Amino acid sequence: MESITLNVKGMSCGHCVKAVEGSVGELQGVKKVQVHLDKGTVDIEFDQNVVTVSKLKETIDDQGYDVV
């Protein structure tokens, strides 16, 4: 398992948390997702043999948020 923290712009409420945690959490190979609104970050624990970092970023982008 690998862990990564992504900086994400545009998250501001509970809906944002549910959208990001829900969509990323549904990806195969993702074990844990935690959004930190106060920091503007998303912590993800995942299996790098199953899902790529670029796929994680793309999934967050698809929800309307910007990974920086």
Side-chain angles (χ1 to χ4, degrees):
M1 285 289 174
E2 187 171 329
S3 295
I4 189 171
T5 298
L6 300 174
N7 292 310
V8 181
K9 287 188 176 181
M11 301 183 302
S12 61
C13 64
H15 172 74
C16 302
V17 173
K18 287 181 181 179
V20 173
E21 288 182 351
S23 61
V24 174
E26 289 178 0
L27 293 174
Q28 264 194 320
V30 174
K31 182 179 179 186
K32 183 179 177 184
V33 184
Q34 187 170 14
V35 172
H36 303 279
L37 284 179
D38 56 332
K39 298 177 188 174
T41 60
V42 180
D43 295 333
I44 307 170
E45 190 174 325
F46 65 103
D47 183 342
Q48 65 273 20
N49 296 315
V50 179
V51 64
T52 63
V53 171
S54 58
K55 180 63 177 174
L56 299 172
K57 291 179 179 180
E58 177 186 319
T59 301
I60 294 170
D61 283 340
D62 288 349
Q63 293 301 312
Y65 308 104
D66 296 319
V67 180
V68 291

